[in-house]
Amino acid sequence: MDIVSVNSLPYEDFVDVFGNVVEKCPIVAAAVWSRRPFSSLADLVASINDFIDALPESGKEGILRVHPDLAGRDLQGGTLTPESREEQGQAGLDTLTTAEVSRMARLNKEYKDHFGFPFVICARMNNKAKILQQLEKRLGNERAHERTRAIDEVKKICHLRLQGLVVPDRSNKL
Ligand SMILES: NC(=O)N[C@H]1NC(=O)NC1=O
């Protein structure tokens, strides 16, 4: 879809198409619809990022809390969103050894117990080794810093999901 078509979508269709660019947060798409027309894909990305940045810290933590664990119960039970399933698969999280699954589960729990939200990282920009390494490293961060770090990852995931939905603008190709 090009940006002209994006701008012509009624809000119901806009939310159907973009409702999961931020995992399980269709309210983000519903909110930014009123910021149309978008001049480009980059403008749509910026509008979503601005909306997220303007949320209170509790809202940002809410966004983090609806993310599924990496290599967690939803992956094993087949209840991930299609987007998350694809991303976790690309990072190799669906082919972990039993020992790796246990290690991931232990670290995910430790992280969640410590921060009160799940560990979030853009799986497609990483692989299982890097994800485990980052999980251990970020456990040592101060809470406010880590919340910002995790929201930055949400933005990266969102950007890649949007790139899969909106064709680049013609002006960018010239
Ligand atoms: N917990 C977590 O990071 N989940 C997300 N990461 C990603 O790339 N897709 C997700 O669902």
Side-chain angles (χ1 to χ4, degrees):
M1 183 181 306
D2 62 19
I3 201 69
V4 175
S5 309
V6 170
N7 286 329
S8 70
L9 291 174
Y11 72 77
E12 292 91 341
D13 295 346
F14 187 88
V15 175
D16 278 348
V17 174
F18 298 108
N20 208 48
V21 292
V22 176
E23 180 76 10
K24 294 188 194 144
C25 291
I27 193 175
V28 175
V32 301
W33 179 82
S34 51
R35 302 191 185 182
R36 294 162 313 132
F38 304 105
S39 59
S40 60
L41 169 59
D43 188 28
L44 173 57
V45 170
S47 296
I48 291 177
N49 289 348
D50 287 349
F51 176 81
I52 294 173
D53 287 339
L55 289 171
E57 301 310 325
S58 59
K60 291 177 187 154
E61 290 191 6
I63 286 184
L64 297 174
R65 287 190 190 116
V66 292
H67 278 71
D69 281 346
L70 293 169
R73 207 174 34 192
D74 286 320
L75 177 62
Q76 276 131 38
T79 50
L80 285 173
T81 61
E83 293 88 345
S84 184
R85 172 79 196 76
E86 170 79 20
E87 291 155 0
Q88 298 204 32
Q90 278 190 30
L93 297 178
D94 53 353
T95 54
L96 297 185
T97 63
T98 312
E100 287 168 338
V101 170
S102 308
R103 182 160 170 238
M104 188 75 90
R106 182 178 51 78
L107 287 169
N108 270 335
K109 181 175 183 316
E110 200 181 326
Y111 181 102
K112 222 183 279 190
D113 288 347
H114 185 64
F115 292 114
F117 48 81
F119 175 71
V120 175
I121 191 166
C122 180
R124 279 199 274 175
M125 291 182 169
N126 290 282
N127 55 36
K128 68 179 178 185
K130 282 202 220 162
I131 288 171
L132 279 163
Q133 186 194 46
Q134 283 295 307
L135 184 40
E136 281 193 317
K137 183 161 174 253
R138 283 170 48 187
L139 254 169
N141 282 345
E142 187 271 324
R143 185 184 154 84
H145 172 71
E146 179 54 21
R147 185 173 49 223
T148 305
R149 181 75 182 74
I151 286 292
D152 283 345
E153 295 295 318
V154 169
K155 291 176 184 171
K156 289 182 203 167
I157 297 167
C158 174
H159 195 162
L160 289 182
R161 289 183 183 183
L162 281 168
Q163 281 179 340
L165 293 168
V166 183
V167 294
D169 316 302
R170 201 180 309 140
S171 55
N172 289 346
K173 282 193 216 147
L174 294 176

